[in-house]
Amino acid sequence: CLCNRSLIQLLVARDEEGNFGQDGAVAALEDAAAAVALDPTYSKAYLRKAAALDALGRTTAARAARASAKRRDQNAEAEARARAMPDDNEKFTDLAGGRDPLDFVGKGPAAEKEMRMWLGSSTGKPVRQLTFL
């Protein structure tokens, strides 16, 4: 909400020639800074802050705010990709035909024989190659 209000502050502060009034730009910057403080991961807040800083003629600070927004977007994309991937245990059991080979470890010769049969080999040499991703 503060991000939207920051944008409105800028739009209202603009005169007919497209120049921003000082008071409106300062108010927009205050709203954007408050939005950043409330949620430092919200990239739109940094973009609103950059717009307000540009309106105030503070281009170096505006560039830094845009860089922060870009970093937040990249982090959010990486987190989304990580959430979309199954965890390691799920990948491993999928590769192993739905059973976890570690269930056979330390259970004695009968379990080892069952594991060899499950892997498709009576010689003890696995037919399937199980690998970790």
Side-chain angles (χ1 to χ4, degrees):
C1 188
L2 286 170
C3 282
N4 293 337
R5 190 168 84 172
S6 176
L7 176 63
I8 296 302
Q9 296 276 14
L10 279 178
L11 294 176
V12 169
R14 188 181 283 178
D15 63 16
E16 292 81 28
E17 287 129 22
N19 300 318
F20 294 98
Q22 185 78 12
D23 292 340
V26 169
L29 180 58
E30 289 171 354
D31 285 345
V36 167
L38 284 174
D39 186 0
T41 64
Y42 191 42
S43 63
K44 186 192 270 187
Y46 290 93
L47 293 175
R48 297 290 191 245
K49 185 177 179 180
L53 288 166
D54 274 334
L56 292 168
R58 297 170 52 191
T59 56
T60 303
R63 194 174 311 130
R66 277 191 288 280
S68 291
K70 185 175 182 179
R71 278 194 306 277
R72 295 324 181 268
D73 281 343
Q74 289 169 342
N75 290 344
E77 288 173 12
E79 289 173 8
R81 282 193 304 272
R83 281 192 303 271
M85 295 174 59
D87 68 6
D88 288 341
N89 288 333
E90 187 177 328
K91 287 183 201 174
F92 187 75
T93 55
D94 284 348
L95 288 173
R99 296 189 61 190
D100 189 348
L102 297 178
D103 290 343
F104 297 106
V105 175
K107 305 277 177 106
E112 290 176 15
K113 182 178 179 184
E114 182 183 352
M115 180 177 69
R116 278 191 237 108
M117 289 175 50
W118 169 69
L119 290 172
S121 171
S122 59
T123 63
K125 295 181 181 178
V127 173
R128 294 186 211 169
Q129 181 68 36
L130 300 178
T131 57
F132 290 98
L133 296 177

